[in-house]
Amino acid sequence: MIQYFQDFFHRHGTALSIFLLVTVGFWIFLMIVLPQAFMLDFSFRFNLPPAKVGGPEDVYTLSNYKFMVYGSAGNPDSFNVIDVTVFFRTILAAIFVTVFDLALCYPIAFYLAQVAHGGWARLMVLSLIVPFWVNEILRAFAFRIMFGSNGVINSFLITVGIVDEPIDLIGANIALYAGLGYAFILLMIFPLYNAIESLDKNQIEAARDLGSPWWRIHWRVVMPFAKPGITSGCTMVFMLSAGALAAPQILGGPSSLWFTQIIYQWFNTGGNWPRGSAYAIILLVSCIVLVLLMMRLFKVRLGEIGR
Amino acid sequence: MSANVELDDVWIRFGDFVAARDVNITIEGGEFFSFLGPSGCGKTTILRAVSGFLAPSQGHVRIGGQDMAGIGPNKRPTALIFQNLALFPLMTVWENISFSLEVRGAGKAERRKKADELLELIALPGQGDKFVNELSGGQRQRVAIARALAAEPKVLLLDEPLSALDLKLRQHMRTELRSIQQQVGITFIYITHDQGEALTMSDHVAVMSAGVIEQVGGGTNVYDHPESAFVASFVGENNLFSGKVSKVSADRATVETNVGNLTAATPKRSNGAKLKRGDDAYVFIRPESLKFANGSNSFDNTIKARIVQQEFEGNLWQVFLDAAQGKHIKMSMVNDGQSLGYDSGSEVALGFPSELAVALPRGPLAAE
Ligand SMILES: Nc1ncnc2c1ncn2[C@@H]1O[C@H](COP(=O)(O)OP(=O)(O)OP(=O)(O)O)[C@@H](O)[C@H]1O
Ligand SMILES: [Mg+2]
């Protein structure tokens, strides 16, 4: 460790090294560690009026976490049905969005990285990026119109004659999944692209020459090689989907809540910051644990993601 | 289980660029056949047409008599060893070797057994559980060969597989490749720009230049009886004298060069073309065919020259001389334990018999 710092100083010179260490340290501490520490602290406290903060009643408690699991004291059920269901539904939906994005983006990334070249590839990348100049809210509302009962999709389905009545795409959450899936497409494509691009074309040809059908080439050669990219893409998409707020707010069906909306309600309308913090921390920790478990399952080391 | 390979009137174009022009070659089943040519002459392109990664723009590739048009690389009885080997870095050595069995759905025990057999063949027993990056260059080379052989191809295609190795290892692997080929008995098609490799290993060599097959023949045939100026200048070292043909007989031509009249053999060329009086021609004579002319011998050709430098290489003396009009000449003599008998600066006469020299029409030469 000391050796590492000596090398670091030696390589960049004292002034630059100090600058780098101080700014990065400052960034990590002030922007990441400190606010999260406040949230963590909050989550273990009672929701007291300002006058009592710091007073004798301001002690640590697990009540906010207990509330998430068991609900209020008068709850007739054995656990907090609404919040727990919403929590698991959110996690499952985020997993679904992630898998959907992976299935959608892998072929695109493979095509861009290994098949397309020159101007055509650049054009494709451009046409993937430019739509994201449109801001999130606008995009979400545009999706709402598109998936509405008079929207393009329903009119198309009716014209072609697949259905007679418009389908409630928003109520069925299809609009929400499509919106979320689309929102994070780039975060999936680019890590995949990066990983696949560095794969030697000869590897693919060698597998083909040895008789392999295309699916086995992907399964045995391309995907193992792209595993770090797949992991970082999936991690980002999963974390951001589980933590999304605007898309569920706008595109979600009337009966379906996203867990972030509950958190938002505690902070905002509920005015209960400690409880909101506890809920947010539950979401954060669960997501991290899930991601680490998945990485364990697929034998990816944390260091590989950074490649 | 070998198959012959026929290239019948094969043309390969990339847009306007012709990478292979009217290639007609028959490679016998079970032989070691090399394509020899400088970088960029289209060797890899031809190999890709045989392995199925590239469809000829025109003509036919036949393997074992069967036309390969429309048959993909994964369905052909060929296996290709890539210029950079292309071993799978995330699989162990034995998984690499048995990949083609995995593709065919063989069980683990069977795959492992086959891999172990092949590891035996390539003299790497017990190394199956290593990863590729834990092997040395020469060992990787052998694993690539084993991986290709595991597919039980009838034709093995090798794209300069030894080019990344150092000289010693390369020479060792040449012998090894040849003996593996004799053991498995399948057709080897080998690509190289190294003439030493092509000559030592092959039954037949095709010399290529800019997409054209210049000459096909046994190693000695190509070396001793080049049919074009390109082959003469590319295969082995040669002294070149240019001039005009002044006389032709049945199998000799005399060329007026600036070091005097030289008479040389005129090879039978496969395209039937013959030198005529007044043609521009080259005379090629190998450094080892030149001798000092003195009272005890007589030659039908002599050149006067002055020794500029002598280099001792152990088994050989390399002698560098200047002839009339600053023409450089190189001569190699076997070291027989006697001194050369001449000092640098001596004026000498060089002689050679006409049958050891060739006269060929002027044409493109291999770049130095
Ligand atoms: N896909 C392609 N598109 C256009 N031109 C190509 C393509 N592949 C090869 N060529 C051209 O064809 C010629 C022959 O290439 P090839 O790879 O067969 O050479 P080579 O003899 O194998 O050379 P080396 O010894 O350097 O490997 C080269 O001039 C190359 O630029
Ligand atoms: Mg090549």
Side-chain angles (χ1 to χ4, degrees), chain B residues 12-249:
Chain B
I12 298 165
R13 297 189 188 87
F14 297 111
D16 288 339
F17 179 78
V18 182
R21 185 183 296 269
D22 195 16
V23 175
N24 282 288
I25 285 181
T26 302
I27 298 166
E28 295 301 333
E31 79 167 322
F32 198 121
F33 190 96
S34 293
F35 284 93
L36 170 64
S39 182
C41 71
K43 305 182 295 292
T44 299
T45 304
I46 288 190
L47 212 61
R48 290 175 70 80
V50 176
S51 57
F53 286 108
L54 201 136
S57 321
Q58 188 182 321
H60 301 276
V61 175
R62 290 192 203 90
I63 300 178
Q66 194 194 346
D67 193 339
M68 287 289 128
I71 300 181
N74 49 350
K75 303 276 185 239
R76 294 195 182 189
T78 57
L80 176 59
I81 296 181
F82 288 78
Q83 212 156 353
N84 67 352
L85 306 184
L87 293 170
F88 305 126
L90 299 172
M91 295 183 201
T92 58
V93 165
W94 81 266
E95 284 177 311
N96 260 286
I97 294 178
S98 61
F99 185 75
S100 55
L101 280 80
E102 183 187 324
V103 168
R104 276 183 265 142
K108 188 171 173 190
E110 187 191 341
R111 285 185 276 142
R112 184 79 216 212
K113 187 163 156 280
K114 179 81 180 183
D116 286 340
E117 276 170 30
L118 282 160
L119 282 166
E120 205 76 41
L121 176 78
I122 57 169
L124 283 177
Q127 310 265 30
D129 288 312
K130 285 190 174 173
F131 279 90
V132 174
N133 61 6
E134 294 166 339
L135 300 179
S136 73
Q139 291 173 329
R140 281 180 212 182
Q141 193 65 63
R142 286 178 233 194
V143 172
I145 294 167
R147 184 179 71 174
L149 290 177
E152 292 179 358
K154 294 177 177 162
V155 181
L156 189 66
L157 309 168
L158 305 98
D159 191 352
E160 308 203 33
L162 306 185
S163 54
L165 306 182
D166 64 52
L167 185 66
K168 264 259 154 53
L169 198 52
R170 200 154 67 219
Q171 284 169 342
H172 174 74
M173 286 303 296
R174 281 181 197 172
T175 344
E176 200 145 310
L177 263 181
R178 186 69 171 136
S179 88
I180 288 176
Q181 193 256 341
Q182 277 155 358
Q183 277 180 64
V184 295
I186 61 174
T187 315
F188 273 40
I189 303 183
Y190 191 90
I191 274 190
T192 180
H193 61 258
D194 179 333
Q195 33 145 332
E197 246 167 62
L199 297 179
T200 38
M201 294 191 286
S202 323
D203 299 310
H204 287 102
V205 180
V207 184
M208 277 189 82
S209 154
V212 175
I213 304 291
E214 295 267 336
Q215 185 173 350
V216 185
T220 51
N221 172 281
V222 169
Y223 188 87
D224 290 336
H225 307 292
E227 291 179 11
S228 72
F230 178 85
V231 175
S233 57
F234 185 72
V235 182
E237 282 188 279
N238 244 326
N239 292 298
L240 175 157
F241 305 92
S242 69
K244 272 204 173 1
V245 178
S246 61
K247 205 170 87 188
V248 282
S249 64

Side-chain angles (χ1 to χ4, degrees), chain A:
Chain A
M1 191 70 187
I2 291 172
Q3 178 64 40
Y4 182 80
F5 273 103
Q6 276 173 353
D7 282 353
F8 186 77
F9 270 79
H10 190 73
R11 196 141 28 98
H12 301 293
T14 316
L16 182 60
S17 303
I18 291 177
F19 175 78
L20 285 173
L21 287 179
V22 167
T23 44
V24 171
F26 193 72
W27 160 260
I28 291 177
F29 183 72
L30 204 71
M31 301 299 204
I32 302 174
V33 177
L34 207 59
Q36 298 306 323
F38 271 122
M39 287 308 235
L40 192 65
D41 182 70
F42 254 169
S43 73
F44 289 107
R45 290 184 186 275
F46 289 108
N47 189 26
L48 299 171
K52 293 192 181 170
V53 171
E57 286 171 55
D58 195 358
V59 289
Y60 285 114
T61 171
L62 284 174
S63 63
N64 295 317
Y65 291 92
K66 280 195 184 133
F67 188 91
M68 156 85 198
V69 183
Y70 299 111
S72 57
N75 183 9
D77 298 312
S78 56
F79 63 98
N80 187 347
V81 179
I82 295 183
D83 290 2
V84 171
T85 327
V86 170
F87 172 80
F88 282 111
R89 210 175 50 210
T90 303
I91 298 278
L92 274 180
I95 292 176
F96 173 76
V97 168
T98 309
V99 172
F100 175 75
D101 265 4
L102 178 62
L104 188 73
C105 295
Y106 178 84
I108 299 176
F110 180 80
Y111 181 81
L112 280 176
Q114 290 284 339
V115 186
H117 32 150
W120 179 234
R122 276 196 296 277
L123 189 74
M124 272 190 76
V125 172
L126 206 65
S127 57
L128 281 170
I129 294 177
V130 168
F132 285 87
W133 291 354
V134 177
N135 67 55
E136 195 189 355
I137 302 278
L138 199 58
R139 200 164 52 230
F141 277 109
F143 263 66
R144 213 189 150 87
I145 297 171
M146 216 165 73
F147 283 88
S149 50
N150 302 321
V152 198
I153 295 183
N154 268 316
S155 336
F156 174 77
L157 291 179
I158 291 171
T159 320
V160 175
I162 297 177
V163 295
D164 304 325
E165 292 283 292
I167 312 171
D168 185 6
L169 294 165
I170 291 176
N173 277 332
I174 291 175
L176 173 58
Y177 293 151
L180 279 175
Y182 183 65
F184 305 124
I185 248 178
L186 291 186
L187 293 173
M188 186 63 94
I189 285 185
F190 284 115
L192 286 180
Y193 172 83
N194 263 335
I196 299 175
E197 213 235 332
S198 58
L199 175 65
D200 175 13
K201 266 194 182 48
N202 286 350
Q203 300 255 329
I204 297 171
E205 293 198 338
R208 204 147 98 80
D209 189 57
L210 292 167
S212 184
W214 64 269
W215 59 267
R216 194 187 290 274
I217 298 178
H218 285 281
W219 182 242
R220 288 290 275 147
V221 179
V222 186
M223 284 168 75
F225 186 84
K227 214 158 66 174
I230 295 176
T231 315
S232 59
C234 286
T235 309
M236 280 197 277
V237 171
F238 172 71
M239 291 284 194
L240 289 173
S241 309
L245 183 60
Q249 202 92 284
I250 300 167
L251 291 171
S255 60
S256 64
L257 267 182
W258 207 250
F259 193 66
T260 47
Q261 286 172 284
I262 296 182
I263 299 176
Y264 183 73
Q265 279 167 12
W266 282 124
F267 273 108
N268 198 25
T269 38
N272 191 340
W273 281 50
R275 189 153 291 162
S277 308
Y279 274 47
I281 289 201
I282 288 174
L283 182 64
L284 176 69
V285 171
S286 319
C287 286
I288 292 177
V289 168
L290 193 75
V291 165
L292 291 178
L293 270 177
M294 283 299 164
M295 285 172 63
R296 193 62 189 272
L297 192 66
F298 290 107
K299 301 200 183 73
V300 192
R301 275 172 296 121
L302 205 53
E304 286 181 75
I305 298 184
R307 276 203 323 202

